[in-house]
């Protein structure tokens, strides 16, 4: 199995090329120093610290290994790779897409009641039921005879909640950034930010792997350039539509002016024709009167 110690930084959301969002946890894993190796049982030191914060037995371990003082010492068994004293374990030990198990210490919540600690059902809230809405109920078993009048060990009651070692299995390594000693794991892991975590090979899916096609900076630049081109095209189309609408309005206005001018011309010609016909009729009437008034 492969192991490495790291520090939880926080969570982040990544996207693949299909637009799927992947919730991930960022872990900063400085190079772990091998302090001892006995039959693939490796002792590792992690994290820098001050001299006054290291006890004498641990100082002896670091002095024997010939390495700098470290904050944390952990021992791992069945390590598949052979290490020598002084070697460093980096994030390159793991590969992207590999299944891992992450172990950490959960957030401590202090002394809590059974409702919050074990998700028990609360009591009736209506008037007349008294005050104990969030009491967990009776504790003893039976009233004598074969039933013991005591509380069994392990009964779910109020007490200290949190600050426990928890392992989340079957998470996948989404991305590794070796220059920054960062490993990004899918999903959530136990513990607060800046908490110590252990990343190790998956116990159930050690031979499986998943491939992630994440959006890189180059792909993001291409998408931004394409979006700019689309925006330019949209702006050009809008300008063309506006120009076409202006041209259409000008053409409509010209057509309306021409129609009005033609209507005026038609009206004038009609008036001239009416005047001509009326003058012809008057001449004909005058000629008839003259012919009638002449003596025979």
């Amino acid at each position: 199995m492969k192991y490495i110690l790291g520090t939880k930084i926080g969570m982040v959301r990544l996207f693949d090329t299909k637009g799927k969002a992947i919730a991930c946890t960022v872990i900063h894993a400085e190079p772990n120093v091998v302090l001892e190796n006995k039959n693939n049982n490796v002792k590792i030191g992690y994290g820098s610290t001050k001299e006054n914060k290291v006890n004498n037995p641990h100082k002896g371990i670091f002095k024997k290994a010939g390495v700098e003082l470290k904050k944390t010492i952990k021992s791992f068994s069945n390590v598949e790779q052979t290490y020598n004293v002084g070697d460093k374990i980096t994030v390159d030990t793991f590969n992207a897409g590999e299944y891992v198990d992450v172990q950490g210490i959960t957030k401590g919540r202090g002394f809590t009641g059974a409702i919050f600690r074990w998700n028990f059902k609360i009591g009736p809230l209506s008037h007349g039921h008294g005050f104990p809405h969030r009491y967990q109920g009776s504790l003893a078993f039976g009233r004598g005879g074969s039933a013991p009048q005591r509380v069994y060990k392990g009964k779910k009651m109020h007490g200290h909640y949190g600050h426990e070692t928890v392992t989340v299995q079957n998470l996948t390594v989404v991305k590794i950034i070796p220059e920054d000693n960062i490993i990004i794991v899918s999903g959530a892991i136990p513990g607060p930010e800046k908490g110590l975590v252990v990343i190790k090979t998956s116990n159930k899916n050690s031979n499986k792997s998943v491939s992630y096609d994440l959006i890189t900076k180059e792909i993001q630049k291409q998408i931004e350039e394409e979006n700019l081109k689309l925006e330019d095209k949209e702006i050009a189309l809008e300008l063309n539509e506006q120009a076409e609408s202006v041209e259409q309005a000008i053409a409509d206005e010209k057509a309306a002016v021409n129609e009005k001018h033609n209507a005026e011309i038609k009206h004038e010609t009609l008036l001239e024709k009416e005047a001509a016909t009326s003058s012809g009729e008057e001449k004909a009437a005058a000629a008839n009167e003259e012919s009638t008034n002449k003596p025979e």
Side-chain angles (χ1 to χ4, degrees), residues 103-132:
Q103 186 182 79
I105 299 175
T106 59
K107 295 180 181 180
R109 294 170 177 83
F111 190 93
T112 60
I115 304 298
F116 182 71
R117 189 183 183 192
W118 301 109
N119 198 23
F120 283 174
K121 184 180 178 181
I122 63 175
L125 298 176
S126 58
H127 180 71
H129 285 284
F131 178 74

Side-chain angles (χ1 to χ4, degrees), residues 3-289:
Y3 298 88
I4 193 171
L5 295 173
T7 303
K8 179 180 176 180
I9 295 177
M11 296 198 70
V12 70
R13 182 171 59 177
L14 301 179
F15 293 90
D16 60 3
T17 54
K18 295 181 180 179
K20 181 181 178 182
I22 306 170
C24 304
T25 304
V26 182
I27 302 170
H28 180 255
E30 295 179 0
N32 296 182
V33 181
V34 177
L35 304 176
E36 187 179 289
N37 188 0
K38 292 182 179 180
N39 298 326
N40 293 332
N41 294 328
V42 178
K43 188 177 290 184
I44 295 173
Y46 171 76
S48 59
T49 185
K50 297 180 181 179
E51 186 177 359
N52 58 356
K53 292 187 177 181
V54 181
N55 56 26
N56 290 328
H58 286 178
K59 286 181 181 179
I61 295 173
F62 295 124
K63 184 178 180 181
K64 182 179 178 181
V67 298
E68 296 179 356
L69 299 179
K70 298 295 179 181
K71 184 178 180 180
T72 305
I73 295 177
K74 284 277 187 179
S75 297
F76 302 113
S77 59
N78 298 326
V79 178
E80 62 183 23
Q81 192 172 351
T82 57
Y83 293 103
N84 297 321
V85 176
D87 290 347
K88 293 184 178 180
I89 304 174
T90 61
V91 293
D92 295 335
T93 307
F94 295 90
N95 300 318
E98 188 176 357
Y99 278 82
V100 293
D101 296 341
V102 182
Q103 186 182 79
I105 299 175
T106 59
K107 295 180 181 180
R109 294 170 177 83
F111 190 93
T112 60
I115 304 298
F116 182 71
R117 189 183 183 192
W118 301 109
N119 198 23
F120 283 174
K121 184 180 178 181
I122 63 175
L125 298 176
S126 58
H127 180 71
H129 285 284
F131 178 74
H133 305 303
R134 296 180 64 87
Y135 285 8
Q136 69 182 80
S138 61
L139 304 177
F141 294 81
R143 290 192 174 184
S146 60
Q149 297 181 15
R150 60 183 175 84
V151 179
Y152 286 145
K153 289 183 178 180
K155 181 174 175 59
K156 295 180 179 179
M157 297 173 61
H158 49 269
H160 184 268
Y161 178 44
H163 198 71
E164 298 175 340
T165 302
V166 175
T167 302
V168 181
Q169 295 181 329
N170 300 327
L171 302 179
T172 54
V173 179
V174 178
K175 188 177 181 181
I176 294 174
I177 308 175
E179 58 271 14
D180 296 328
N181 297 322
I182 286 177
I183 179 170
I184 300 176
V185 179
S186 65
I189 63 175
E193 295 181 1
K194 299 182 180 180
L196 182 68
V197 295
V198 180
I199 307 171
K200 56 184 178 180
T201 306
S202 176
N203 192 24
K204 296 180 179 179
N205 297 316
S206 59
N207 297 324
K208 293 184 179 180
S209 61
V210 179
S211 61
Y212 289 97
D213 192 8
L214 298 176
I215 295 179
T216 59
K217 292 182 179 179
E218 292 77 10
I219 297 174
Q220 189 174 0
K221 285 182 180 179
Q222 292 178 1
I223 293 171
E224 290 176 355
E225 290 176 357
E226 291 177 358
N227 290 334
L228 289 174
K229 290 179 181 178
L230 290 174
E231 290 178 358
D232 294 338
K233 288 181 180 179
E234 290 177 355
I235 292 170
L237 289 173
E238 289 180 358
L239 293 175
N240 290 332
E241 289 177 356
Q242 291 177 1
E244 290 176 357
S245 62
V246 171
E247 291 177 355
Q248 187 66 31
I250 293 170
D252 294 339
E253 188 175 357
K254 287 181 179 180
V257 171
N258 292 328
E259 288 180 359
K260 185 177 180 181
H261 183 65
N262 294 329
E264 290 178 354
I265 292 171
K266 287 181 180 179
H267 184 65
E268 289 177 356
T269 52
L270 288 174
L271 291 176
E272 290 176 356
K273 287 181 180 179
E274 289 177 357
T277 52
S278 61
S279 62
E281 290 176 355
E282 288 177 356
K283 289 179 180 179
N288 289 329
E289 288 179 359

